[in-house]
Amino acid sequence: MSRLCFIPYNQANIKNIIFDLGGVVLDIDYQKTLNEFKKLGVHNPENTFTLSSQVELFNQLDCGLISPEDFRNELRNHLNKNLSDSEIDNAWNALLLEWNPKRIKLLEHLRNDYRIYLLSNTNIIHSKIYNEQLMSLSGGKNLKNYFDKVYYSYEAGLRKPNPEIFKIVLDENGLSTENTLFIDDTLEHIESARKIGLLAYHIKPKEGETILDLFR
């Protein structure tokens, strides 16, 4: 099979690709999580989850600064609801959609021609579930089997758009910014990556664009 080229930047000398996870490799739908919390009796979760105190709680979980147990307890306090651990986890994980086998095949093909990495703002509650689901689909392979290296924010202690997390990926793997591509669905992350010299592409899943459209 011929070498796959990145269509939007087909003249660039790309040797390495850093992928975001949610909205890029794996589809997500935050509305599904909101709907599940509504079913549990949480009123106006859209408003509740945008409060600065809530956003900071999620940031702490994504950076590994708070345990899942403390996260659940804090969330119960914020929501003023005596929800069980499983109720919280099931609602919290509802945003994770099914894996697309064609995207997994694409990653396998790309590894023949590029060094590929995953850089995700994620937490241990989500990571456990989407890796279990992937292993069920792939015969036991998790995300670390599909990338040269995987970077989870909760393990790194940093989240995008902090430029330091990009520098960690570059430095640890000896990557040069001028031939490294970063793909993410969040414009703020793209802008941060570009500021340190990375090639960066803002994918738009809400417009139906997927990574399957970007390589030929």
Side-chain angles (χ1 to χ4, degrees):
M1 191 176 289
S2 61
R3 189 178 195 270
L4 285 173
C5 292
F6 184 69
I7 300 168
Y9 303 158
N10 63 354
Q11 299 302 314
N13 181 28
I14 297 169
K15 296 181 179 179
N16 320 293
I17 307 172
I18 304 171
F19 288 91
D20 176 33
L21 178 60
V24 178
V25 177
L26 174 65
D27 286 332
I28 56 176
D29 185 348
Y30 289 103
Q31 187 61 47
K32 288 185 176 294
T33 281
L34 296 177
N35 291 343
E36 290 303 312
F37 276 110
K38 285 180 182 177
K39 291 178 185 177
L40 295 173
V42 177
H43 300 294
N44 299 317
E46 299 90 345
N47 298 331
T48 303
F49 288 170
T50 56
L51 294 173
S52 60
S53 57
Q54 289 277 331
V55 171
E56 180 55 29
L57 179 62
F58 302 144
N59 287 344
Q60 288 180 338
L61 184 66
D62 275 2
C63 288
L65 301 176
I66 187 171
S67 69
E69 293 76 20
D70 287 342
F71 168 76
R72 297 184 190 103
N73 288 334
E74 287 292 329
L75 196 56
R76 276 187 276 262
N77 291 335
H78 279 294
L79 300 176
N80 196 26
K81 297 286 293 183
N82 189 25
L83 303 175
S84 69
D85 288 356
S86 61
E87 285 175 325
I88 290 173
D89 286 1
N90 289 338
W92 185 230
N93 288 325
L95 62 88
L96 304 171
L97 305 186
E98 292 184 0
W99 288 99
N100 183 326
K102 291 182 179 179
R103 295 185 201 175
I104 301 304
K105 286 292 184 185
L106 174 63
L107 295 176
E108 291 177 329
H109 189 183
L110 288 172
R111 286 197 78 182
N112 294 326
D113 302 309
Y114 301 91
R115 296 167 69 188
I116 67 172
Y117 302 87
L118 185 74
L119 176 57
S120 175
N121 286 355
T122 191
N123 58 80
I124 194 169
I125 298 174
H126 285 163
S127 173
K128 179 177 183 293
I129 295 300
Y130 56 66
N131 272 300
E132 286 178 354
Q133 292 170 341
L134 179 58
M135 290 171 70
S136 177
L137 175 69
S138 66
K141 295 180 181 179
N142 65 23
L143 279 169
K144 293 182 179 181
N145 294 109
Y146 291 96
F147 294 89
D148 287 79
K149 194 163 183 179
V150 167
Y151 290 86
Y152 296 134
S153 60
Y154 74 89
E155 293 180 339
L158 293 169
R159 297 176 82 249
K160 296 171 291 186
N162 188 328
E164 292 305 315
I165 197 165
F166 296 111
K167 292 176 184 177
I168 288 173
V169 179
L170 294 169
D171 292 346
E172 287 190 356
N173 299 285
L175 309 183
S176 172
T177 55
E178 55 259 27
N179 55 32
T180 300
L181 169 69
F182 172 60
I183 304 173
D184 199 293
D185 65 324
T186 301
L187 184 56
E188 186 181 12
H189 301 165
I190 293 296
E191 291 171 344
S192 177
R194 286 174 177 162
K195 284 179 181 177
I196 67 164
L198 282 165
L199 298 169
Y201 182 80
H202 182 212
I203 193 170
K204 301 176 180 64
K206 290 182 180 179
E207 297 177 13
E209 187 178 42
T210 79
I211 54 174
L212 297 173
D213 304 313
L214 302 179
F215 293 90
R216 180 175 57 207

